[in-house]
Amino acid sequence: MKTYPTNCFLWFATLLLVVVIGALNVEVCNGTLQGEALQLNFYNRTCPKAETIVKTIVEENARVNPFLGALLLRMHYHDCFVRGCDGSILLDPTSATEQVELQAEPNLSLLGFDVIEDIKTEVEKACPQTVSCADIVALAARDGISAPFGRQMWEVPLGRRDGNVSLASEAIANLPSASSNFSTLLNFFSRKGLNLTDLVALSGAHTVGIAHCGVISTRLFNFTGKSDTDPSIDPTYAGVLKTRCSSSSKNIVEMDPKSATSFDNHYYKNLIERKGLFESDASLISNSSAAQLVNQLQNADAFFVEFAKSMKKMGAMDVLTGTQGEIGKECYQRN
């Protein structure tokens, strides 16, 4: 048996201790204490019923409102693109002069806040001031889309904390409009650490939901200021939209004219047929690299895989974790 001097044992023991402490520090820094990373099953010990409560309430409401998944998904997107996924989209103003995200033009048509409040109320009963509103929004978006499938469409790591800053000006600056061209869209996404694949995959969310005619009226009736129609849109489809929208800008049109309540890959087939509802949709086939991805995501399996990856990536953008931010007692006001 080989022997070592005592000081070698001490050196080895010290080295081992350093390695173990280092490993523990990595785990702690990436976990609940420092919160540098989100975790699956984050509330297993502190609020084990949290995810079930979210899922149950979302599914109950989705049975009444088939567009709920689209509404919650849009809310999550609008939250994440402004200051990260911190629940600040939910905050009401605290004074007559304060202008919060929810009051910004891109957010005026957001809906589904009553469902988030119902969830928060039940979660607070089960685990007071434990589950963040930001996590509830992220889970609700996933569960709203997943409900018809009977399975989770993407993973949602948790551990977000709530922000207490909400500015309308930041929402306007960080949310691209429906009339954005391709370079503008890619720039917005790149600033958030998202790439071309993320842009094309996440645009697929437009396979569900509805929009008001006012958003597309210029595209249909006065595209260049000469009472003309955007030439990039299929003429027959444009005619259908004009009929629907001619009487009022408040009229509603489906995002996906054939399956607006079904989360599927039909959006990409629409783009190929020049039937994207928004200019931003149509712009995806104006770029060769994006158009190639559009073709690939016409395959349903490919779309679901890429959408799941991009949702997980978006849901982790600039999150507050650890001791940052707060756990809101109520979602519409700061503690």
Side-chain angles (χ1 to χ4, degrees), residues 68-85:
L68 181 63
L71 299 177
L72 296 174
L73 185 61
R74 184 168 179 242
M75 183 191 300
H76 183 35
Y77 162 72
H78 281 229
D79 182 37
C80 290
F81 264 65
V82 184
R83 286 187 169 268
C85 312

Side-chain angles (χ1 to χ4, degrees), residues 10 36-37 46 59 84-85 107 135 139 148 180 201 205 230 262 285 293 302:
L10 291 174
E36 291 181 0
T46 57
E59 289 182 348
C85 312
N107 293 330
D135 275 345
L139 286 169
S180 297
D230 181 356
S262 176
I285 57 173
L293 287 168

Side-chain angles (χ1 to χ4, degrees), residues 195-245:
N195 59 29
L196 175 62
T197 301
D198 298 317
L199 167 59
V200 178
L202 292 175
S203 294
H206 288 175
T207 192
V208 287
I210 54 179
H212 287 98
C213 286
V215 181
I216 57 171
S217 60
T218 298
R219 189 183 189 206
L220 294 176
F221 300 110
N222 198 28
F223 186 62
T224 65
K226 300 177 180 179
S227 300
D228 55 342
T229 302
D230 181 356
S232 71
I233 191 171
D234 174 76
T236 301
Y237 181 47
V240 172
L241 293 175
K242 286 180 179 180
T243 299
R244 179 63 182 165
C245 294

Side-chain angles (χ1 to χ4, degrees), residues 162-173:
D162 298 324
N164 52 23
V165 176
S166 183
L167 300 171
S169 58
E170 292 188 352
I172 294 170

